[in-house]
Amino acid sequence: MASTGEKPLIVSFGEMLIDFVPTESGVSLAEAPGFLKAPGGAPANVAIAVSRLGGRSAFVGKLGDDEFGHMLAGILRKNGVVDQGINFDTGARTALAFVTLKADGDREFMFYRNPSADMLLRPDELNLELIRSAKVFHYGSISLIVEPCRSAHLKAMEVAKEAGALLSYDPNLREPLWPSKEEAKTQIMSIWDKAEIIKVSDVELEFLTGSNKIDDETAMSLWHPNLKLLLVTLGEKGCRYYAKNFRGSVDPFHVNAVDTTGAGDSFVGALLNKIAEDQSILENEERLRKVLRFANACGAITTTKKGAIPALPSEAEVLSFLEKK
């Protein structure tokens, strides 16, 4: 485990890719006059969010041994993310996604992954020593879609858990990547009861429960006995939290949203950063509410700039934002 004086390590597992974002909002991909390349992939965003906020994070995943892959590894390093869990695949390319920005800053995706390097991570390529040193191990569900990455994901989770890490799960549903809705739901739920912290969006809550009601009863249908905290993020309506002995909601911050990409990852990074330092927050409602207010601020700030990683705030930015509220 981390030596005394060293910050707790948050290890983020999964995909990192290049998002191609149109230079103009509110147009279809076909109509877009041009694209800006932006590094993305939820687990990588979370790792960088943690690091920006002064925490310690590592990324575990596979990139193509190509210019984009090396560019992404360089971005992780430049942002202070430990890179000892990164592998390169000589036979497959780094994944690409073309993102449509709708007029309200929301998005649609078109993916190029056939197969991309992240899908080809094998269990024997995992840096187990790094994974064992995690205080928090965070992951999504995209890494569950195909083998061998699925087996690598399950192995990494098991190793982290055995070493005493807190498991954190953000399904981060991307429907176009799954063979069917049923398969997506089955696989996302296949590891549900392992996680101790789960964050879902209102859209994911609806998808996983089949209910169009975003209320406490619907959320609690996803509760399981190992869970310490279930979060439902509601976009511009803030978030709801459910713990063993309390539940409630935290108000949002109203900002002029330009691009919602990375807002949820920013929120998760802020939350995990605080929990890694002190897990007793999970049992203290007043302190948890403060942390969630801070996380909501991180998410809100992230929506005010284009692209996920360039928009992730530093602690100073968040504190100054909160002072003005």
Side-chain angles (χ1 to χ4, degrees), residues 243-296:
K244 281 206 166 83
N245 303 314
F246 51 81
R247 62 175 68 167
S249 61
V250 178
D251 290 336
F253 293 99
H254 295 289
V255 291
N256 184 13
V258 177
D259 178 4
T260 58
T261 312
D265 305 326
S266 185
F267 174 92
V268 169
L271 172 77
L272 296 182
N273 204 18
K274 302 282 187 193
I275 288 172
E277 282 175 10
D278 183 1
Q279 289 191 25
S280 70
I281 288 167
L282 295 168
E283 278 122 48
N284 181 318
E285 186 169 15
E286 193 188 336
R287 288 171 64 212
L288 179 67
R289 287 183 65 85
K290 265 189 194 155
V291 167
L292 291 174
R293 186 170 183 265
F294 183 90
N296 270 354

Side-chain angles (χ1 to χ4, degrees), residues 186-205:
T186 304
Q187 294 302 345
I188 286 171
M189 297 308 291
S190 71
I191 57 168
W192 199 257
D193 59 354
K194 300 271 193 284
E196 292 147 295
I197 296 173
I198 294 176
K199 175 243 151 193
V200 290
S201 68
D202 43 4
V203 175
E204 288 159 349
L205 179 65

Side-chain angles (χ1 to χ4, degrees), residues 79-310:
N79 282 284
V81 176
V82 174
D83 66 351
Q84 292 151 350
I86 300 173
N87 289 272
F88 291 95
D89 195 289
T90 49
R93 296 277 186 224
T94 301
L96 309 177
F98 284 82
V99 186
T100 317
L101 280 186
K102 293 190 266 185
D104 62 358
D106 221 350
R107 317 143 297 169
E108 284 168 0
F109 295 87
M110 181 169 84
F111 293 93
Y112 282 69
R113 300 168 90 229
N114 56 336
S116 53
D118 58 287
M119 300 156 77
L120 301 174
L121 180 68
R122 302 191 312 271
D124 63 306
E125 293 176 308
L126 293 169
N127 181 337
L128 299 181
E129 196 184 336
L130 178 69
I131 292 166
R132 285 189 187 105
S133 65
K135 188 88 176 175
V136 176
F137 184 72
H138 176 75
Y139 46 88
S141 71
I142 289 172
S143 37
L144 295 174
I145 300 174
V146 291
E147 290 292 1
C149 188
R150 180 183 158 76
S151 291
H153 180 140
L154 298 175
K155 166 93 173 168
M157 261 173 58
E158 185 192 332
V159 167
K161 184 71 190 153
E162 276 171 7
L166 191 73
L167 299 188
S168 160
Y169 186 19
D170 174 0
N172 196 41
L173 175 70
R174 294 286 177 265
E175 261 186 71
L177 291 177
W178 292 90
S180 68
K181 283 186 177 194
E182 295 69 35
E183 176 71 359
K185 190 175 168 179
T186 304
Q187 294 302 345
I188 286 171
M189 297 308 291
S190 71
I191 57 168
W192 199 257
D193 59 354
K194 300 271 193 284
E196 292 147 295
I197 296 173
I198 294 176
K199 175 243 151 193
V200 290
S201 68
D202 43 4
V203 175
E204 288 159 349
L205 179 65
E206 224 171 288
F207 177 85
L208 293 170
T209 59
S211 165
N212 55 5
K213 284 204 191 93
I214 307 295
D215 57 14
D216 289 352
E217 195 185 338
T218 309
M220 284 306 287
S221 71
L222 292 177
W223 185 266
H224 66 77
N226 296 326
L227 206 47
K228 292 181 175 165
L229 180 63
L230 172 66
L231 293 157
V232 181
T233 54
L234 307 163
E236 69 273 15
K237 296 194 189 93
C239 71
R240 290 188 182 174
Y241 58 87
Y242 303 86
K244 281 206 166 83
N245 303 314
F246 51 81
R247 62 175 68 167
S249 61
V250 178
D251 290 336
F253 293 99
H254 295 289
V255 291
N256 184 13
V258 177
D259 178 4
T260 58
T261 312
D265 305 326
S266 185
F267 174 92
V268 169
L271 172 77
L272 296 182
N273 204 18
K274 302 282 187 193
I275 288 172
E277 282 175 10
D278 183 1
Q279 289 191 25
S280 70
I281 288 167
L282 295 168
E283 278 122 48
N284 181 318
E285 186 169 15
E286 193 188 336
R287 288 171 64 212
L288 179 67
R289 287 183 65 85
K290 265 189 194 155
V291 167
L292 291 174
R293 186 170 183 265
F294 183 90
N296 270 354
C298 287
I301 293 166
T302 307
T303 68
T304 60
K305 293 181 198 159
K306 266 193 185 176
I309 290 169

